[in-house]
Coordinates of all heavy atoms in Angstrom, one line a residue:
M1 N -11.7 6.7 9.6 CA -10.7 6.1 8.6 C -10.6 4.6 8.8 O -10.6 4.1 9.9 CB -9.4 6.7 8.8 CG -9.2 8.2 8.5 SD -9.3 8.6 6.8 CE -7.6 8.8 6.4
K2 N -10.5 3.9 7.7 CA -10.4 2.5 7.8 C -9.0 2.1 7.3 O -8.5 2.6 6.3 CB -11.4 1.8 6.8 CG -11.3 0.3 6.9 CD -12.4 -0.4 6.1 CE -12.2 -1.9 6.1 NZ -13.2 -2.6 5.3
Q3 N -8.4 1.3 8.1 CA -7.0 0.8 7.8 C -7.1 -0.4 6.8 O -7.6 -1.4 7.1 CB -6.2 0.4 9.0 CG -4.8 0.0 8.8 CD -4.1 -0.2 10.0 OE1 -4.0 0.6 10.9 NE2 -3.5 -1.5 10.2
L4 N -6.6 -0.1 5.6 CA -6.6 -1.2 4.6 C -5.3 -2.0 4.6 O -5.2 -3.1 4.0 CB -6.9 -0.6 3.2 CG -8.2 0.0 3.0 CD1 -8.4 0.5 1.6 CD2 -9.3 -1.0 3.3
A5 N -4.2 -1.4 5.1 CA -2.9 -2.1 5.2 C -2.1 -1.6 6.3 O -2.2 -0.4 6.7 CB -2.2 -2.0 3.9
Y6 N -1.3 -2.4 6.8 CA -0.3 -2.1 7.8 C 1.0 -2.7 7.3 O 1.1 -4.0 7.4 CB -0.6 -2.5 9.2 CG 0.5 -2.0 10.2 CD1 0.6 -0.5 10.4 CD2 1.3 -2.8 11.0 CE1 1.5 -0.1 11.3 CE2 2.2 -2.3 11.9 CZ 2.3 -1.0 12.1 OH 3.2 -0.4 12.9
I7 N 1.9 -2.0 6.7 CA 3.1 -2.5 6.1 C 4.2 -2.5 7.0 O 4.6 -1.4 7.5 CB 3.5 -1.8 4.8 CG1 2.2 -1.7 3.9 CG2 4.7 -2.4 4.1 CD1 2.3 -0.8 2.7
T8 N 4.8 -3.6 7.4 CA 6.0 -3.7 8.3 C 7.0 -4.6 7.7 O 6.7 -5.4 6.8 CB 5.5 -4.3 9.7 OG1 5.1 -5.6 9.5 CG2 4.5 -3.4 10.3
Q9 N 8.2 -4.5 8.3 CA 9.3 -5.4 7.8 C 9.0 -6.9 8.2 O 8.8 -7.2 9.3 CB 10.6 -5.0 8.6 CG 11.8 -5.7 8.0 CD 12.2 -5.3 6.6 OE1 12.1 -4.1 6.2 NE2 12.7 -6.2 5.8
G10 N 8.8 -7.7 7.1 CA 8.7 -9.1 7.3 C 7.3 -9.6 7.6 O 6.9 -10.8 7.6
H11 N 6.3 -8.6 8.0 CA 5.0 -9.1 8.3 C 4.0 -8.0 8.0 O 3.6 -7.2 8.9 CB 4.9 -9.6 9.7 CG 3.5 -10.0 10.1 ND1 3.0 -11.2 9.7 CD2 2.5 -9.4 10.8 CE1 1.8 -11.4 10.1 NE2 1.4 -10.2 10.8
S12 N 3.5 -7.9 6.8 CA 2.5 -6.9 6.4 C 1.1 -7.5 6.6 O 0.9 -8.7 6.3 CB 2.8 -6.3 5.1 OG 4.0 -5.8 5.0
E13 N 0.1 -6.6 6.9 CA -1.2 -7.0 7.0 C -2.1 -6.2 6.0 O -1.9 -5.0 6.0 CB -1.7 -6.8 8.5 CG -1.0 -7.5 9.5 CD -1.4 -7.1 10.9 OE1 -2.3 -6.4 11.1 OE2 -0.7 -7.6 11.8
Y14 N -2.9 -6.9 5.3 CA -3.7 -6.3 4.2 C -5.1 -6.7 4.4 O -5.4 -7.8 4.7 CB -3.2 -6.6 2.8 CG -2.0 -5.9 2.4 CD1 -0.7 -6.4 2.8 CD2 -2.1 -4.7 1.7 CE1 0.4 -5.6 2.4 CE2 -0.9 -4.0 1.3 CZ 0.3 -4.5 1.6 OH 1.4 -3.8 1.3
D15 N -6.1 -5.7 4.2 CA -7.5 -6.1 4.1 C -7.6 -7.1 3.0 O -6.9 -7.0 1.9 CB -8.3 -4.8 3.7 CG -9.7 -5.0 3.6 OD1 -10.1 -5.4 2.4 OD2 -10.5 -4.9 4.5
P16 N -8.4 -8.1 3.1 CA -8.5 -9.1 2.1 C -8.8 -8.6 0.7 O -8.3 -9.1 -0.3 CB -9.6 -10.1 2.6 CG -9.6 -9.9 4.1 CD -9.3 -8.5 4.3
R17 N -9.7 -7.7 0.6 CA -10.1 -7.1 -0.7 C -8.9 -6.4 -1.4 O -8.6 -6.6 -2.6 CB -11.2 -6.1 -0.6 CG -12.5 -6.8 -0.3 CD -13.6 -5.8 0.0 NE -13.9 -4.9 -1.1 CZ -14.7 -3.8 -1.0 NH1 -15.3 -3.5 0.1 NH2 -14.8 -3.1 -2.1
L18 N -8.1 -5.7 -0.6 CA -6.9 -5.0 -1.2 C -5.8 -6.0 -1.6 O -5.3 -5.9 -2.6 CB -6.3 -4.0 -0.2 CG -5.1 -3.2 -0.6 CD1 -5.3 -2.5 -1.9 CD2 -4.7 -2.2 0.5
R19 N -5.6 -7.0 -0.7 CA -4.7 -8.0 -1.0 C -5.0 -8.8 -2.3 O -4.1 -9.0 -3.1 CB -4.5 -9.0 0.2 CG -3.3 -10.0 0.0 CD -2.0 -9.2 -0.1 NE -0.9 -10.1 -0.4 CZ 0.2 -10.1 0.1 NH1 0.5 -9.3 1.1 NH2 1.2 -10.9 -0.3
E20 N -6.2 -9.1 -2.4 CA -6.6 -9.9 -3.6 C -6.4 -9.0 -4.9 O -6.0 -9.5 -5.9 CB -8.2 -10.2 -3.5 CG -8.6 -11.0 -4.7 CD -10.2 -11.4 -4.5 OE1 -10.6 -11.5 -3.3 OE2 -10.8 -11.6 -5.5
L21 N -6.8 -7.7 -4.8 CA -6.6 -6.8 -5.9 C -5.1 -6.7 -6.3 O -4.7 -6.8 -7.4 CB -7.1 -5.4 -5.5 CG -7.0 -4.3 -6.5 CD1 -8.1 -3.3 -6.1 CD2 -5.7 -3.6 -6.5
L22 N -4.2 -6.6 -5.2 CA -2.7 -6.4 -5.5 C -2.2 -7.7 -6.0 O -1.4 -7.6 -7.0 CB -2.1 -6.0 -4.2 CG -2.4 -4.6 -3.6 CD1 -1.8 -4.5 -2.3 CD2 -1.9 -3.6 -4.6
D23 N -2.6 -8.8 -5.5 CA -2.0 -10.1 -6.1 C -2.5 -10.3 -7.5 O -1.7 -10.9 -8.3 CB -2.6 -11.3 -5.2 CG -1.9 -11.3 -3.9 OD1 -0.8 -10.6 -3.6 OD2 -2.4 -12.0 -2.9
A24 N -3.7 -9.9 -7.9 CA -4.2 -10.0 -9.3 C -3.4 -9.2 -10.3 O -3.4 -9.5 -11.5 CB -5.6 -9.6 -9.3
T25 N -2.7 -8.1 -9.8 CA -1.9 -7.3 -10.7 C -0.6 -7.9 -11.2 O -0.1 -7.5 -12.2 CB -1.4 -6.0 -10.0 OG1 -0.5 -6.2 -9.0 CG2 -2.6 -5.2 -9.4
E26 N -0.2 -9.0 -10.5 CA 1.1 -9.7 -10.8 C 2.3 -8.8 -10.7 O 3.4 -9.1 -11.1 CB 1.1 -10.3 -12.2 CG 0.0 -11.4 -12.3 CD 0.0 -12.1 -13.6 OE1 0.9 -11.9 -14.4 OE2 -1.0 -12.9 -13.8
I27 N 2.2 -7.6 -9.9 CA 3.3 -6.8 -9.6 C 4.0 -7.5 -8.5 O 3.5 -8.0 -7.6 CB 2.8 -5.4 -9.1 CG1 2.2 -4.7 -10.3 CG2 4.0 -4.6 -8.5 CD1 1.4 -3.4 -9.9
D28 N 5.4 -7.5 -8.6 CA 6.2 -8.1 -7.6 C 6.0 -7.4 -6.2 O 6.4 -6.3 -6.1 CB 7.7 -8.1 -8.0 CG 8.6 -8.7 -7.0 OD1 8.2 -9.4 -6.1 OD2 9.9 -8.6 -7.2
P29 N 5.5 -8.2 -5.2 CA 5.3 -7.6 -3.9 C 6.6 -7.2 -3.2 O 6.6 -6.4 -2.3 CB 4.5 -8.6 -3.1 CG 4.8 -9.9 -3.8 CD 5.1 -9.6 -5.2
E30 N 7.7 -7.7 -3.6 CA 9.0 -7.5 -3.0 C 9.8 -6.6 -3.8 O 11.1 -6.6 -3.6 CB 9.7 -8.9 -2.9 CG 9.1 -9.9 -1.9 CD 9.1 -9.4 -0.5 OE1 10.1 -8.8 -0.1 OE2 8.1 -9.8 0.2
E31 N 9.3 -5.6 -4.5 CA 10.0 -4.6 -5.2 C 10.9 -3.8 -4.2 O 11.9 -3.4 -4.5 CB 9.1 -3.6 -6.0 CG 8.6 -4.1 -7.2 CD 7.8 -3.0 -8.0 OE1 7.0 -2.4 -7.3 OE2 8.0 -2.9 -9.1
F32 N 10.3 -3.7 -3.0 CA 11.1 -3.0 -1.9 C 11.3 -4.1 -0.8 O 10.3 -4.6 -0.2 CB 10.2 -1.9 -1.3 CG 11.0 -0.9 -0.5 CD1 11.5 0.2 -1.0 CD2 11.3 -1.2 0.9 CE1 12.2 1.2 -0.3 CE2 11.9 -0.3 1.6 CZ 12.4 0.9 1.0
I33 N 12.5 -4.6 -0.8 CA 12.8 -5.8 0.0 C 12.2 -5.8 1.4 O 12.4 -4.9 2.2 CB 14.3 -6.1 0.0 CG1 14.8 -6.3 -1.4 CG2 14.7 -7.3 0.9 CD1 16.3 -6.4 -1.5
G34 N 11.5 -6.9 1.7 CA 10.9 -7.1 3.1 C 9.7 -6.4 3.4 O 9.2 -6.5 4.5
L35 N 9.2 -5.5 2.5 CA 8.0 -4.7 2.8 C 7.0 -4.9 1.7 O 7.1 -4.2 0.6 CB 8.3 -3.2 3.0 CG 9.3 -2.8 4.1 CD1 9.7 -1.4 3.9 CD2 8.6 -3.0 5.4
D36 N 6.1 -5.8 1.8 CA 5.2 -6.2 0.8 C 4.4 -5.0 0.2 O 3.8 -4.3 1.0 CB 4.1 -7.2 1.3 CG 4.7 -8.5 1.6 OD1 5.8 -8.8 1.3 OD2 3.9 -9.3 2.2
Y37 N 4.6 -4.8 -1.1 CA 3.9 -3.7 -1.9 C 4.2 -2.3 -1.3 O 3.5 -1.4 -1.7 CB 2.4 -4.0 -1.9 CG 2.0 -5.2 -2.6 CD1 1.5 -6.3 -2.0 CD2 2.2 -5.3 -4.0 CE1 1.1 -7.5 -2.7 CE2 1.9 -6.5 -4.7 CZ 1.3 -7.6 -4.0 OH 1.0 -8.7 -4.7
F38 N 5.3 -2.2 -0.5 CA 5.6 -0.8 -0.1 C 5.8 0.2 -1.2 O 5.5 1.3 -1.1 CB 6.8 -0.9 0.9 CG 7.3 0.4 1.4 CD1 6.5 1.0 2.4 CD2 8.3 1.1 0.9 CE1 6.9 2.2 3.0 CE2 8.7 2.3 1.4 CZ 8.0 2.9 2.5
S39 N 6.4 -0.4 -2.3 CA 6.8 0.5 -3.4 C 5.5 1.2 -4.1 O 5.6 2.1 -4.8 CB 7.6 -0.2 -4.5 OG 6.8 -1.3 -5.0
L40 N 4.3 0.6 -3.8 CA 3.1 1.1 -4.3 C 2.5 2.2 -3.5 O 1.4 2.7 -3.9 CB 2.1 0.0 -4.5 CG 2.6 -1.2 -5.4 CD1 1.5 -2.2 -5.5 CD2 3.0 -0.7 -6.7
T41 N 3.0 2.6 -2.4 CA 2.4 3.6 -1.5 C 2.1 5.0 -2.3 O 1.0 5.5 -2.0 CB 3.2 3.9 -0.3 OG1 4.5 4.2 -0.6 CG2 3.2 2.7 0.7
P42 N 2.9 5.4 -3.2 CA 2.5 6.6 -3.9 C 1.2 6.4 -4.7 O 0.4 7.3 -4.8 CB 3.7 6.9 -4.9 CG 4.8 6.2 -4.3 CD 4.3 5.0 -3.6
F43 N 1.0 5.2 -5.2 CA -0.2 4.9 -6.0 C -1.4 4.7 -5.1 O -2.5 5.2 -5.5 CB 0.0 3.6 -6.8 CG 1.1 3.7 -7.8 CD1 2.3 3.0 -7.6 CD2 1.1 4.6 -8.9 CE1 3.4 3.1 -8.4 CE2 2.2 4.7 -9.7 CZ 3.3 4.0 -9.5
F44 N -1.2 4.3 -3.9 CA -2.3 4.2 -2.9 C -2.7 5.6 -2.6 O -3.9 5.9 -2.6 CB -1.8 3.6 -1.6 CG -1.4 2.1 -1.7 CD1 -0.5 1.6 -0.7 CD2 -1.8 1.3 -2.7 CE1 -0.1 0.3 -0.8 CE2 -1.4 -0.1 -2.8 CZ -0.6 -0.5 -1.8
A45 N -1.8 6.5 -2.5 CA -2.1 7.9 -2.2 C -2.9 8.6 -3.4 O -3.9 9.3 -3.2 CB -0.9 8.8 -1.8
L46 N -2.5 8.3 -4.6 CA -3.1 8.8 -5.8 C -4.5 8.3 -5.9 O -5.4 9.0 -6.5 CB -2.3 8.5 -7.0 CG -1.0 9.2 -7.2 CD1 -0.3 8.7 -8.4 CD2 -1.2 10.7 -7.4
A47 N -4.8 7.2 -5.3 CA -6.2 6.5 -5.4 C -7.1 7.0 -4.3 O -8.2 6.7 -4.1 CB -6.0 5.0 -5.4
G48 N -6.5 7.9 -3.4 CA -7.3 8.5 -2.3 C -6.9 8.1 -0.9 O -7.6 8.5 0.1
A49 N -5.9 7.3 -0.7 CA -5.5 6.8 0.7 C -4.6 7.8 1.3 O -3.9 8.6 0.7 CB -4.8 5.4 0.6
T50 N -4.6 7.8 2.6 CA -3.6 8.5 3.4 C -2.5 7.5 3.9 O -2.9 6.4 4.3 CB -4.3 9.1 4.7 OG1 -5.3 10.1 4.2 CG2 -3.3 9.8 5.6
I51 N -1.3 7.9 3.7 CA -0.2 7.0 4.1 C 0.3 7.7 5.4 O 0.7 8.8 5.4 CB 0.9 7.0 3.0 CG1 0.4 6.7 1.6 CG2 2.0 6.1 3.4 CD1 -0.4 5.4 1.5
E52 N 0.3 6.8 6.4 CA 0.7 7.3 7.8 C 1.8 6.4 8.4 O 1.6 5.2 8.6 CB -0.5 7.3 8.7 CG -0.3 7.8 10.1 CD -1.5 7.7 11.0 OE1 -2.5 8.2 10.6 OE2 -1.4 6.9 12.0
P53 N 3.0 7.0 8.6 CA 4.1 6.2 9.2 C 3.8 6.0 10.7 O 3.2 6.9 11.3 CB 5.3 7.1 9.0 CG 4.8 8.5 8.8 CD 3.4 8.4 8.2
D54 N 4.2 4.8 11.2 CA 4.2 4.6 12.6 C 5.6 4.7 13.1 O 6.4 3.8 12.8 CB 3.6 3.1 12.8 CG 3.4 2.8 14.3 OD1 3.6 3.7 15.1 OD2 3.0 1.6 14.5
A55 N 5.9 5.8 13.6 CA 7.3 6.2 13.9 C 7.5 6.7 15.2 O 6.5 7.3 15.9 CB 7.8 7.2 12.9
H56 N 8.7 6.6 15.7 CA 9.1 7.3 17.0 C 10.6 7.6 16.9 O 11.2 7.2 15.9 CB 8.9 6.3 18.2 CG 9.6 5.0 18.1 ND1 9.1 3.9 17.4 CD2 10.8 4.6 18.6 CE1 10.0 2.9 17.5 NE2 11.0 3.3 18.2
S57 N 11.0 8.4 17.8 CA 12.4 8.9 17.7 C 13.2 8.5 18.8 O 12.8 8.2 19.9 CB 12.4 10.4 17.5 OG 12.0 11.0 18.7
H58 N 14.5 8.4 18.5 CA 15.6 8.1 19.5 C 16.5 9.3 19.4 O 17.5 9.3 18.6 CB 16.3 6.8 19.2 CG 15.4 5.7 19.2 ND1 15.0 5.0 20.3 CD2 14.9 5.0 18.1 CE1 14.2 4.0 20.0 NE2 14.1 4.0 18.7
G59 N 16.3 10.4 20.1 CA 17.1 11.6 19.9 C 16.8 12.2 18.5 O 15.7 12.5 18.3
T60 N 17.9 12.3 17.7 CA 17.6 12.9 16.4 C 17.4 11.8 15.4 O 17.2 12.2 14.2 CB 18.9 13.7 16.0 OG1 20.0 12.8 16.0 CG2 19.1 14.8 16.9
D61 N 17.3 10.5 15.7 CA 17.1 9.5 14.8 C 15.5 9.1 14.8 O 15.0 9.0 15.9 CB 17.8 8.3 15.1 CG 19.3 8.5 14.9 OD1 19.7 9.2 14.0 OD2 20.1 7.8 15.6
V62 N 15.0 8.9 13.7 CA 13.6 8.5 13.5 C 13.6 7.0 13.2 O 14.3 6.5 12.3 CB 12.8 9.3 12.5 CG1 11.4 8.6 12.2 CG2 12.7 10.7 12.9
H63 N 12.7 6.2 13.9 CA 12.6 4.8 13.6 C 11.2 4.5 13.2 O 10.3 4.7 13.9 CB 12.9 4.0 14.9 CG 12.8 2.5 14.7 ND1 13.7 1.7 14.0 CD2 11.9 1.7 15.1 CE1 13.3 0.5 13.9 NE2 12.2 0.4 14.6
V64 N 11.0 4.1 11.9 CA 9.6 3.7 11.4 C 9.4 2.3 11.6 O 10.2 1.5 11.1 CB 9.5 4.2 9.9 CG1 8.1 3.8 9.4 CG2 9.7 5.7 9.8
T65 N 8.4 1.9 12.3 CA 8.1 0.5 12.6 C 7.1 0.0 11.6 O 7.0 -1.3 11.4 CB 7.6 0.3 14.0 OG1 6.4 1.1 14.2 CG2 8.7 0.6 15.0
G66 N 6.4 0.8 10.9 CA 5.4 0.4 9.9 C 4.8 1.6 9.3 O 5.0 2.7 9.6
V67 N 4.0 1.3 8.2 CA 3.3 2.3 7.5 C 1.8 1.9 7.3 O 1.5 0.7 6.9 CB 3.9 2.5 6.1 CG1 3.1 3.5 5.2 CG2 5.3 3.0 6.1
K68 N 0.9 2.7 7.7 CA -0.5 2.4 7.6 C -1.1 3.0 6.3 O -0.7 4.1 5.8 CB -1.3 3.1 8.7 CG -0.9 2.5 10.1 CD -1.6 3.3 11.2 CE -1.0 2.9 12.5 NZ -1.6 3.6 13.7
V69 N -2.0 2.3 5.6 CA -2.7 2.8 4.4 C -4.1 2.9 4.9 O -4.8 1.9 5.3 CB -2.6 1.8 3.3 CG1 -3.4 2.3 2.1 CG2 -1.2 1.5 2.8
L70 N -4.6 4.2 4.9 CA -5.9 4.5 5.5 C -6.8 5.2 4.5 O -6.3 6.0 3.7 CB -5.8 5.5 6.7 CG -4.8 5.1 7.8 CD1 -4.5 6.2 8.7 CD2 -5.4 3.9 8.6
V71 N -8.1 4.9 4.5 CA -9.0 5.6 3.6 C -10.3 5.9 4.4 O -10.7 5.1 5.3 CB -9.4 4.8 2.4 CG1 -8.3 4.6 1.4 CG2 -10.1 3.4 2.7
P72 N -11.0 7.0 4.2 CA -12.2 7.2 4.8 C -13.2 6.1 4.4 O -13.1 5.7 3.2 CB -12.7 8.6 4.2 CG -11.4 9.2 3.8 CD -10.5 8.1 3.3
E73 N -14.0 5.6 5.3 CA -14.9 4.5 5.0 C -15.8 4.7 3.8 O -16.0 3.8 3.0 CB -15.7 4.1 6.2 CG -14.8 3.5 7.3 CD -15.6 2.9 8.4 OE1 -16.8 2.5 8.2 OE2 -15.1 2.9 9.6
E74 N -16.2 6.0 3.6 CA -17.1 6.3 2.4 C -16.4 6.2 1.1 O -17.0 6.3 0.1 CB -17.9 7.6 2.7 CG -17.0 8.8 2.7 CD -16.3 9.1 4.0 OE1 -16.5 8.4 5.0 OE2 -15.8 10.3 4.1
L75 N -15.0 6.2 1.1 CA -14.2 6.2 -0.1 C -13.6 4.8 -0.4 O -12.9 4.6 -1.4 CB -13.1 7.2 0.0 CG -13.5 8.7 0.0 CD1 -12.3 9.6 0.1 CD2 -14.3 9.1 -1.2
E76 N -13.8 3.9 0.4 CA -13.2 2.6 0.3 C -13.5 1.9 -1.0 O -12.6 1.5 -1.7 CB -13.6 1.6 1.4 CG -13.0 0.2 1.3 CD -13.4 -0.7 2.5 OE1 -14.1 -0.3 3.4 OE2 -12.9 -1.8 2.5
D77 N -14.8 1.8 -1.4 CA -15.1 1.3 -2.7 C -14.5 2.0 -3.8 O -14.0 1.4 -4.8 CB -16.6 1.1 -2.8 CG -17.2 0.1 -2.0 OD1 -16.5 -0.8 -1.5 OD2 -18.4 0.2 -1.6
A78 N -14.5 3.3 -3.8 CA -13.9 4.1 -4.9 C -12.4 3.9 -5.0 O -11.9 3.8 -6.0 CB -14.3 5.6 -4.7
F79 N -11.7 3.8 -3.8 CA -10.3 3.6 -3.8 C -10.0 2.2 -4.4 O -9.1 2.1 -5.3 CB -9.8 3.6 -2.3 CG -8.4 3.0 -2.1 CD1 -7.4 3.9 -2.4 CD2 -8.2 1.7 -1.7 CE1 -6.1 3.4 -2.2 CE2 -6.9 1.2 -1.6 CZ -5.8 2.0 -1.8
L80 N -10.7 1.2 -4.1 CA -10.5 -0.2 -4.6 C -10.8 -0.2 -6.1 O -10.3 -1.0 -6.8 CB -11.3 -1.2 -3.8 CG -10.9 -1.4 -2.4 CD1 -11.9 -2.2 -1.6 CD2 -9.4 -2.0 -2.3
A81 N -11.7 0.6 -6.6 CA -12.0 0.7 -8.0 C -11.0 1.5 -8.8 O -10.7 1.1 -10.0 CB -13.4 1.3 -8.2
T82 N -10.5 2.5 -8.2 CA -9.5 3.4 -8.9 C -8.1 2.9 -8.9 O -7.4 3.0 -9.9 CB -9.5 4.8 -8.2 OG1 -10.8 5.3 -8.2 CG2 -8.5 5.8 -8.8
L83 N -7.7 2.2 -7.8 CA -6.3 1.7 -7.7 C -5.9 0.8 -8.9 O -4.8 1.0 -9.5 CB -6.1 1.0 -6.4 CG -4.7 0.5 -6.1 CD1 -3.6 1.7 -6.1 CD2 -4.6 -0.2 -4.8
P84 N -6.7 -0.2 -9.3 CA -6.2 -1.0 -10.4 C -6.0 -0.2 -11.7 O -5.1 -0.6 -12.5 CB -7.4 -2.0 -10.6 CG -8.1 -2.0 -9.4 CD -8.0 -0.6 -8.8
E85 N -6.8 0.8 -11.9 CA -6.6 1.6 -13.1 C -5.3 2.4 -13.1 O -4.6 2.4 -14.1 CB -7.8 2.6 -13.3 CG -9.1 1.9 -13.5 CD -10.2 2.9 -13.5 OE1 -10.0 4.1 -13.5 OE2 -11.4 2.5 -13.4
I86 N -5.0 2.9 -11.9 CA -3.7 3.6 -11.8 C -2.5 2.7 -11.9 O -1.6 3.0 -12.6 CB -3.6 4.3 -10.4 CG1 -4.7 5.5 -10.3 CG2 -2.2 4.9 -10.1 CD1 -4.9 6.1 -9.0
L87 N -2.6 1.5 -11.3 CA -1.5 0.5 -11.4 C -1.4 0.0 -12.8 O -0.2 -0.2 -13.3 CB -1.7 -0.6 -10.4 CG -1.7 -0.3 -9.0 CD1 -2.1 -1.4 -8.1 CD2 -0.3 0.3 -8.6
A88 N -2.5 -0.2 -13.5 CA -2.4 -0.6 -15.0 C -1.7 0.4 -15.8 O -0.9 0.1 -16.6 CB -3.8 -0.9 -15.5
D89 N -1.9 1.7 -15.6 CA -1.3 2.8 -16.3 C 0.2 2.7 -16.0 O 1.1 2.9 -16.9 CB -1.9 4.1 -16.0 CG -3.2 4.4 -16.7 OD1 -3.5 3.6 -17.6 OD2 -3.9 5.3 -16.3
A90 N 0.5 2.6 -14.7 CA 1.9 2.8 -14.3 C 2.8 1.6 -14.7 O 4.0 1.7 -15.0 CB 1.9 2.9 -12.7
Y91 N 2.1 0.4 -14.7 CA 2.9 -0.8 -15.0 C 2.7 -1.4 -16.4 O 3.1 -2.5 -16.7 CB 2.6 -1.9 -14.0 CG 3.4 -1.6 -12.7 CD1 2.8 -0.7 -11.7 CD2 4.6 -2.1 -12.4 CE1 3.5 -0.5 -10.5 CE2 5.3 -1.8 -11.2 CZ 4.7 -1.0 -10.3 OH 5.4 -0.8 -9.1
A92 N 2.0 -0.6 -17.3 CA 1.8 -1.0 -18.7 C 3.1 -1.2 -19.4 O 4.0 -0.4 -19.2 CB 0.8 0.0 -19.4
E93 N 3.1 -2.2 -20.2 CA 4.3 -2.4 -21.1 C 4.3 -1.3 -22.2 O 3.3 -0.9 -22.7 CB 4.2 -3.7 -21.8 CG 4.2 -4.9 -20.8 CD 5.6 -5.1 -20.3 OE1 6.7 -4.8 -21.0 OE2 5.8 -5.5 -19.1
D94 N 5.5 -0.8 -22.5 CA 5.6 0.2 -23.6 C 5.3 -0.5 -24.9 O 5.7 -1.5 -25.2 CB 7.1 0.7 -23.7 CG 7.3 2.0 -23.0 OD1 6.3 2.6 -22.6 OD2 8.5 2.4 -22.8
E95 N 4.4 0.2 -25.7 CA 4.0 -0.3 -26.9 C 4.8 0.3 -28.1 O 4.5 0.0 -29.2 CB 2.5 -0.1 -27.1 CG 1.7 -0.9 -26.1 CD 0.2 -0.7 -26.3 OE1 -0.2 -0.2 -27.4 OE2 -0.6 -1.0 -25.4
G96 N 5.7 1.2 -27.7 CA 6.5 1.9 -28.7 C 7.7 1.1 -29.2 O 8.1 0.9 -30.2

């Protein structure tokens, strides 16, 4: 699996190809305050990525320190080709 993003509070890391793609969409990266493009994680999954929380517990409380966006290396190009289509559909202006 290749990690295309590690989303954390205040400092997210993105593969340059994915970041360029996301920036080109003009979707507000701060839709979810402090976590760049975190609100798009369901769309990442629909395009073929695995979303993996980096979490640990303190008794009965879970603390998530980040979220990884992972894809099998052989699906990376397909993921990057499919994601813009999904985002365009999801964020299209209503024509009605």
Side-chain angles (χ1 to χ4, degrees):
M1 296 287 260
K2 180 173 180 182
Q3 182 174 303
L4 293 182
Y6 185 65
I7 305 169
T8 63
Q9 188 70 34
H11 180 73
S12 297
E13 299 172 9
Y14 283 83
D15 178 275
R17 289 174 58 193
L18 177 57
R19 185 63 190 224
E20 182 179 335
L21 180 157
L22 294 173
D23 289 344
T25 66
E26 297 184 9
I27 295 169
D28 180 6
E30 295 290 327
E31 281 186 314
F32 198 96
I33 297 172
L35 297 168
D36 293 347
Y37 295 114
F38 181 76
S39 62
L40 301 183
T41 54
F43 302 109
F44 298 158
L46 289 173
T50 298
I51 309 304
E52 180 181 302
D54 188 0
H56 59 275
S57 66
H58 302 280
T60 59
D61 295 326
V62 173
H63 179 74
V64 176
T65 56
V67 175
K68 298 175 186 175
V69 178
L70 307 165
V71 294
E73 289 187 32
E74 66 273 11
L75 294 180
E76 181 179 0
D77 289 337
F79 169 83
L80 292 170
T82 303
L83 183 60
E85 296 173 12
I86 291 171
L87 294 176
D89 284 346
Y91 284 85
E93 295 288 326
D94 264 348
E95 295 179 17

